[in-house]
Amino acid sequence: MTTIKQVMVEKEVPCTLRDGVTLYANIYRPQASGDYPVLLSRLPYNKNLPDFSHRWIDPIRTAMQGYIIIIQDVRGRFSSEGEFEPFAQEVEDGYDTVEWAASLPYSNGKVGMFGLSYYAFTQLYALVEQPSALKAIFPAMTGNIFKEPFGENGVLSLASSETWMLDSVAPDYLKRKLSREEYTEAIKELTNDLNQIEEWHDYKPIKELPAVMKHPVLHDIYRKYIDQEFNKRAMTQTVAKNVSDFLDMPAYHLAGWYDNFLNQTLMNYEQMCAYNPNQKLIIGPWGHGMVGSDLGERSFGVNSSAYSIDGKDDLTSLHIKWFNHWLKEDNDTLQDGEDPVKVFVMGVNEWRSEKEWPLQRTEYTNYYFHSDGQANNRSGRLTTSTPTDEPSDQFTHDPANPVPTKGGGTLFYNGRNAGPRDQRAIEQREDVVVYTSPPLEESLEVTGSAKVMLWASTDAVNTDFTAKLVDVFPDGTAYNLADGIVRAKYQNGGSLSGEMICYEIDLSPTSNVFLPGHSIRIDMASSDFPRYDVNPNTGETTLNTVEMVKAKQTVFHQAEYPSHVILPIIPD
């Protein structure tokens, strides 16, 4: 294929939507005459900022391969007109923009879409009205349009929600709503609040967050956002359509083992496989938008990076190959018989191809909790033997002193507190119970989604339980791999006080080889703050209340109530 040597850049190109609102885009296209396919990205984070507009693929390099790259500010953001109503606006606007892009005089009428996070949401919402020009998409690290984006099992993703509002939404929103003088003062206050955002995460009630409330123009959008009104409106548009029609689209899904949207990205892949077999999936040892070789407190090797995938590809080449196949009918770029799934296996730090997700050869194996009633001093044991008559473990969940977040699939300000991090300080707390296997004699691979079956009771009317899968190194270092949370009443309903219940806690997927000498560990607690809003144990939530009470939690592991984790083990 001949590489185009000259690229033309057009700034602030207008696109008028069905209601007369105009959105603006930057366009990168070959200077040579001809018709080319379009790659479209629609984002709320400013198309003129290179960290967003050039971050996911190189538009110049891609245009030199014979593509028109269009990067557009969505409605109500930066250059574009209109009122920003996140998620709810992207169905109709996505359809209109795709059809506009296909009609441009230098377009050949075929459109693909790309981008991560919100600008992967815009891809999925654009599918709903089935624009005829849209032929393939590449959604990365994003949510599922049938789920709330900032929640997990009825629990609010607190730090993510507040970070997104204060850091991503508020600056431009204030600029559009205020006079120049008012904005100058408002942005100073907002900057100061972002500098102390960790302290704001502690504030209750969440709906009255002072960092937002001091700006009256933010009140309405914050209220609707925190109450999931925008997302609910968007979902009414999706359920009104025939899912089998609009999910019938070739898609390349990109995910990270420590991405906050990992569960939902994999849900996208599995759902779309049911309607169109032309799906691909890649999962790296990455956090949200963080795709280098180092994350948290670990390094996974140079070729773990999305800029050197297995030493063969990078983000841009991955996109070019995918879209060459679907927009240029270049069948050489996707080899016949190539496995659709590519996963990075931590521990051995190797890429591996697979034929499906989840892996069919998985052997789901129970590892049971054991202890002498002292698992909160790290003496709990984890084995494949079923428990007999063992004393239960107890701990007190004090919402005024919650277990702090230490790594994981977080979306904190500037990527803080993400990825694998040593859990030993957390495990020393009296409100964390720990179950550890003996050191392994042979390697053991866990790839997929683990599940904790927790037999427990509480003296609260509602509470949370959290679980964490940990790889314990021979020197004692304990790195988190996967985690999950359940809000008790959300799963079971009714009053819980004193009732023994089996809670199912789905852990985020992972892929890790526990090497010889390593141990498998499960940490149990009732909070992971500020990743999630802390449960006040009163039956209310800290969205609306400041009242909190302590809860006495009991974990059972007897023959009749065998608390355990189900590990997805991959045989040799």
Side-chain angles (χ1 to χ4, degrees), residues 302-461:
V302 171
N303 289 340
S304 67
S305 165
Y307 306 107
S308 178
I309 301 171
D310 213 9
K312 301 172 184 177
D313 277 303
D314 61 25
L315 278 173
T316 297
S317 66
L318 215 62
H319 283 74
I320 290 171
K321 288 180 180 180
W322 176 249
F323 288 118
N324 279 353
H325 181 80
W326 295 107
L327 304 185
K328 294 186 176 182
E329 299 180 359
D330 182 356
N331 294 322
D332 291 338
T333 58
L334 293 180
Q335 300 297 319
D336 290 338
E338 181 182 88
D339 289 337
V341 177
K342 191 177 185 75
V343 299
F344 187 86
V345 184
M346 298 178 289
V348 292
N349 292 348
E350 295 176 352
W351 287 100
R352 190 174 70 212
S353 295
E354 296 288 350
K355 298 186 181 302
E356 73 280 316
W357 182 271
L359 309 188
Q360 290 185 4
R361 65 185 185 280
T362 303
E363 296 178 356
Y364 292 97
T365 305
N366 293 351
Y367 277 72
Y368 294 93
F369 299 176
H370 301 269
S371 91
D372 56 4
Q374 300 295 321
N376 51 354
N377 65 12
R378 303 176 76 191
S379 67
R381 303 178 304 283
L382 191 68
T383 78
T384 55
S385 300
T386 55
T388 54
D389 185 17
E390 300 178 5
S392 58
D393 295 307
Q394 294 183 336
F395 65 95
T396 299
H397 164 41
D398 181 359
N401 180 27
V403 177
T405 299
K406 181 74 170 179
T410 61
L411 182 58
F412 286 17
Y413 183 56
N414 281 347
R416 298 170 185 168
N417 208 352
R421 297 175 185 267
D422 190 356
Q423 301 297 305
R424 284 179 290 182
I426 300 296
E427 292 165 348
Q428 295 289 350
R429 291 175 57 108
E430 290 296 319
D431 53 357
V432 178
V433 291
V434 179
Y435 304 94
T436 309
S437 76
L440 299 174
E441 296 181 359
E442 298 180 347
S443 294
L444 184 145
E445 181 183 334
V446 170
T447 295
S449 300
K451 177 181 290 196
V452 170
M453 306 296 290
L454 176 70
W455 284 97
S457 68
T458 178
D459 65 356
V461 295

Side-chain angles (χ1 to χ4, degrees), residues 456-468:
S457 68
T458 178
D459 65 356
V461 295
N462 190 18
T463 196
D464 292 348
F465 288 104
T466 68
K468 189 179 296 180

Side-chain angles (χ1 to χ4, degrees), residues 463-476:
T463 196
D464 292 348
F465 288 104
T466 68
K468 189 179 296 180
L469 175 64
V470 179
D471 185 349
V472 185
F473 283 49
D475 66 358

Side-chain angles (χ1 to χ4, degrees), residues 39-40 98 111-115 119-127 131 134-140 142 246-254 268 272 278-280 319 322-323 326-327:
L39 298 184
L40 170 66
V98 168
V111 178
M113 294 185 74
F114 70 95
Y119 37 133
F121 270 114
T122 58
Q123 299 173 56
L124 298 172
Y125 282 122
L127 298 179
L134 188 58
K135 305 301 182 185
I137 61 175
F138 203 124
T142 196
F246 71 77
L247 289 185
D248 182 8
M249 174 68 59
Y252 200 138
H253 308 260
L254 185 145
N268 292 336
M272 295 185 73
N278 299 305
Q279 308 293 311
K280 286 180 73 69
H319 283 74
W322 176 249
F323 288 118
W326 295 107
L327 304 185

Side-chain angles (χ1 to χ4, degrees), residues 496-514:
L496 308 172
S497 185
E499 185 178 357
M500 188 185 300
I501 292 172
C502 184
Y503 298 97
E504 296 186 16
I505 308 176
D506 292 316
L507 305 192
S508 52
T510 191
S511 182
N512 182 73
V513 173
F514 292 83

